[in-house]
Amino acid sequence: MNQEYMKLCIKEAKKSLKTDDVPVGAIIIKDDKIISKSHNCREKIKIITGHAEIKCIEKANKKNKSWRLDECVMYTTLEPCLMCYEAIIQSRIKKVYFFAENDLFGFHNHIKINNKINDMFVFIKNDEYIELLKNFFKNKRK
């Protein structure tokens, strides 16, 4: 777990606030280098697949010139939803770190996963990000 990657991921998530999207950021690392980063843009582009993880994977695919990302690690601020979870599995990313659980849409509450895949996803609680997410939804409910 790299603190600098964690900070960059949160910085990327904050970009989503400019377009009133849920603040989620993602980065993909290969050989200790960032090869892609993205944030939620679903509200901005009006497309359901505008999730940070999906956009980040697409950018990494282009840069890597392959749909396979088996030598890569992803950091994402929020536990991936089912759509993003499946894209991560299909792209063969080897490890995913996320900073906040997603009780409503997170993949853990929706599927039974085998131990190999379960070991692939690592929850590292980050209070700074959790506070950012709470404030976003608190402001939405005013």
Side-chain angles (χ1 to χ4, degrees):
M1 184 63 173
N2 181 306
Q3 292 295 322
E4 288 305 311
Y5 294 155
M6 196 181 234
K7 288 177 188 175
L8 180 61
C9 207
I10 294 170
K11 183 178 177 182
E12 194 66 29
K14 290 177 180 177
K15 293 178 182 178
S16 301
L17 297 172
K18 295 175 186 169
T19 56
D20 204 30
D21 276 285
V22 177
V24 178
I27 61 172
I28 294 179
I29 313 300
K30 182 178 180 184
D31 300 325
D32 288 325
K33 293 181 183 166
I34 297 167
I35 63 167
S36 68
K37 57 185 178 176
S38 193
H39 56 277
N40 269 3
C41 59
R42 188 169 61 173
E43 294 296 329
K44 180 181 178 181
I45 65 174
K46 308 293 186 225
I47 297 174
I48 193 66
T49 55
H51 288 206
E53 299 91 338
I54 300 284
K55 294 299 173 192
C56 198
I57 288 169
E58 289 172 350
K59 289 177 181 181
N61 291 150
K62 279 186 179 181
K63 185 153 189 171
N64 216 29
K65 296 185 174 115
S66 175
W67 62 269
R68 290 180 179 92
L69 300 173
D70 48 3
E71 296 301 316
C72 298
V73 172
M74 176 183 273
Y75 287 74
T76 184
T77 52
L78 187 60
E79 176 185 349
C81 69
L82 285 171
M83 175 179 67
C84 294
Y85 164 84
E86 192 57 40
I88 290 164
I89 297 298
Q90 291 296 321
S91 68
R92 301 191 176 136
I93 291 172
K94 67 180 180 179
K95 189 69 102 179
V96 178
Y97 297 99
F98 62 95
F99 315 146
E101 294 173 303
N102 185 348
D103 293 334
L104 191 55
F105 296 110
F107 70 89
H108 269 106
N109 287 329
H110 295 284
I111 60 173
K112 184 177 179 180
I113 53 180
N114 66 42
N115 286 338
K116 182 180 177 190
I117 292 174
N118 197 31
D119 291 343
M120 181 181 155
F121 290 85
V122 180
F123 171 52
I124 306 289
K125 185 177 180 185
N126 182 291
D127 292 328
E128 177 189 354
Y129 175 70
I130 291 169
E131 192 64 28
L132 174 71
L133 192 61
K134 281 181 182 177
N135 286 336
F136 173 80
F137 285 110
K138 185 172 142 185
N139 290 332
K140 288 296 244 180
R141 293 182 182 114
K142 282 185 179 181

